[in-house]
Amino acid sequence: PPHGVVGYVLVKLDYPPVPLILGLVLGPMLEKGIRRALIISQGGVDTFFNRPISLSLMILTGLVIFLPLLIKKAKKLYRKGSTSSPTS
């Protein structure tokens, strides 16, 4: 069974199963909600940004996704800049 193989690989890689289960359970519900909102708004994506709460959640989601990448990039640039010493 492929499910057993996936579970085995996740255990061997020390991957916690909870995020996977949450994604499998909440993913279809989220997809239905987004599809319903787009149908009601006749395809207008601005419906996700016109309320303060939804705008805040979108900004927070963007930060959660992109902030670690920006921090990693900044650390990389900082290490690169601090290792090279100016020659006078």
Side-chain angles (χ1 to χ4, degrees), residues 10 15-26:
L10 292 176
Y15 188 82
V18 175
L20 181 65
I21 293 169
L22 279 173
L24 289 173
V25 171
L26 296 177

Side-chain angles (χ1 to χ4, degrees), residues 5-77:
V5 173
V6 171
Y8 178 77
V9 170
L10 292 176
V11 167
K12 284 297 181 184
L13 294 175
D14 265 349
Y15 188 82
V18 175
L20 181 65
I21 293 169
L22 279 173
L24 289 173
V25 171
L26 296 177
M29 293 169 54
L30 177 68
E31 188 176 344
K32 281 182 188 176
I34 290 173
R35 185 174 290 133
R36 186 177 297 134
L38 287 172
I39 289 171
I40 291 171
S41 70
Q42 298 176 349
V45 184
D46 62 329
T47 191
F48 298 113
F49 301 102
N50 62 2
R51 302 278 180 154
I53 291 177
S54 60
L55 178 62
S56 301
L57 289 174
M58 288 296 209
I59 291 171
L60 186 63
T61 301
L63 286 175
V64 166
I65 292 172
F66 291 111
L67 198 59
L69 297 172
L70 294 174
I71 290 173
K72 187 176 180 180
K73 181 92 169 162
K75 282 182 180 179
K76 194 176 192 181
L77 289 173

Side-chain angles (χ1 to χ4, degrees), residues 71-85:
I71 290 173
K72 187 176 180 180
K73 181 92 169 162
K75 282 182 180 179
K76 194 176 192 181
L77 289 173
Y78 176 74
R79 277 191 235 127
K80 185 178 178 183
S82 65
T83 57
S84 63
S85 59

